[in-house]
Amino acid sequence: MCQIIHSHWQSMALLISAFHKYSGKEGDKLTLSKGELKDLLNAELGDIMGKNTDQAKVDKIFKDLDANSDGSVDFQEYVTLVACLTMMCNDFFIKK
């Protein structure tokens, strides 16, 4: 049980550190710009989502995440992406 809890904490720490690794490269250090989100998607999630070289696809993902339409993705909005990916992975493993 302790191993499972430790593993979950490590996973959460990786998700948090991925956000902060890319946030603030352009402007506010607590949000992701469209360019920062694209870099994060490609570098950290490219194996899951595929490389996002199609700007229209990146624009759609950004718009869907930017719930308050302020032109940036904050950590709470980023968690929406994490939740969606978790649900997709769960569905994938259930079907196998």
Side-chain angles (χ1 to χ4, degrees):
M1 180 67 158
C2 288
Q3 181 65 24
I4 293 171
I5 292 171
H6 180 70
S7 177
H8 287 298
W9 280 112
Q10 285 180 319
S11 298
M12 296 302 284
L14 287 172
L15 293 170
I16 293 166
S17 66
F19 176 86
H20 291 291
K21 179 177 176 181
Y22 295 91
S23 67
K25 289 183 176 184
E26 302 172 7
D28 188 344
K29 67 179 182 173
L30 298 177
T31 63
L32 295 168
S33 68
K34 195 177 292 183
E36 291 166 339
L37 178 65
K38 182 178 180 180
D39 291 346
L40 184 151
L41 292 173
N42 286 331
E44 305 295 331
L45 301 172
D47 292 342
I48 297 170
M49 297 183 68
K51 297 293 182 186
N52 290 293
T53 55
D54 179 2
Q55 191 59 43
K57 183 177 177 183
V58 173
D59 290 346
K60 169 95 171 84
I61 294 169
F62 187 84
K63 184 178 181 215
D64 290 346
L65 291 178
D66 186 14
N68 63 1
S69 300
D70 68 351
S72 64
V73 173
D74 63 24
F75 187 77
Q76 185 172 348
E77 292 165 330
Y78 165 75
V79 170
T80 303
L81 173 66
V82 172
C84 289
L85 291 173
T86 303
M87 290 172 24
M88 287 171 42
C89 289
N90 182 58
D91 291 346
F92 174 79
F93 287 116
I94 286 174
K95 289 176 184 175
K96 284 210 162 222

